Amino acid sequence: MERLADYIQGERVVRELRRHAPEALEQLARDLEQPLSPPLEKAVARSLDDRRVTDFRASEVLMPAMMTTFAVDPGAIAEEELVGLEATCNRCTEVGRCWRAMRDFAEAEACRGFCPNAEAFMGRGAEPATA
């Protein structure tokens, strides 16, 4: 019964939003501070991993948060390098994991294990931010 409740509170909601209100699902995914039930949060993360939130761009939502986590000043990055970092972010296979980590204000050390841009951020000489 618990599994059914999780489905109703998570996957079903995401499926309905994707079908009937994709812009609302995108807005939900873009808001890293919106409180969500654990089943809904998991379902949104899975949808991000599966690229089922069509207009979501990780580089627009998650990369700025990740840069804050690593205490990187975006203005200190050359435009051509920033474009490369954004492309790497958008190709990342850990989008759902990153989204949940940024929602939980994970520390830089925890993010180093999955963020493909972590070393580039660390190479800035910035001290990681702590929660």
Side-chain angles (χ1 to χ4, degrees):
M1 217 41 183
E2 183 177 327
R3 190 168 177 188
L4 178 60
D6 283 355
Y7 173 79
I8 291 169
Q9 294 178 19
E11 291 296 332
R12 182 176 177 196
V13 171
V14 168
R15 186 186 72 217
E16 293 297 318
L17 285 171
R18 199 170 42 252
R19 184 173 185 182
H20 299 292
E23 65 285 344
L25 179 58
E26 181 189 347
Q27 189 59 35
L28 188 68
R30 289 177 150 283
D31 187 348
L32 297 176
E33 296 179 10
Q34 175 66 43
L36 300 175
S37 70
L40 182 54
E41 186 177 60
K42 287 177 189 175
V44 172
R46 278 191 295 271
S47 290
L48 291 171
D49 278 340
D50 296 342
R51 310 288 185 197
R52 290 180 290 161
V53 182
T54 315
D55 292 329
F56 183 85
R57 299 289 172 264
S59 64
E60 295 172 4
V61 178
L62 301 176
M63 196 165 113
M66 188 66 77
M67 291 174 82
T68 297
T69 298
F70 280 90
V72 173
D73 175 13
I77 300 175
E79 185 65 32
E80 65 229 15
E81 183 180 3
L82 189 59
V83 168
L85 293 171
E86 289 171 346
T88 298
C89 184
N90 287 329
R91 287 190 310 269
C92 181
T93 60
E94 299 285 344
V95 177
R97 182 177 181 186
C98 181
W99 181 77
R100 291 183 76 187
M102 295 300 92
R103 287 178 54 79
D104 291 340
F105 302 101
E107 294 184 17
E109 193 57 40
C111 298
R112 287 183 73 182
F114 65 85
C115 179
N117 285 327
E119 292 308 312
F121 294 155
M122 292 301 292
R124 298 276 159 230
E127 292 297 316
T130 56

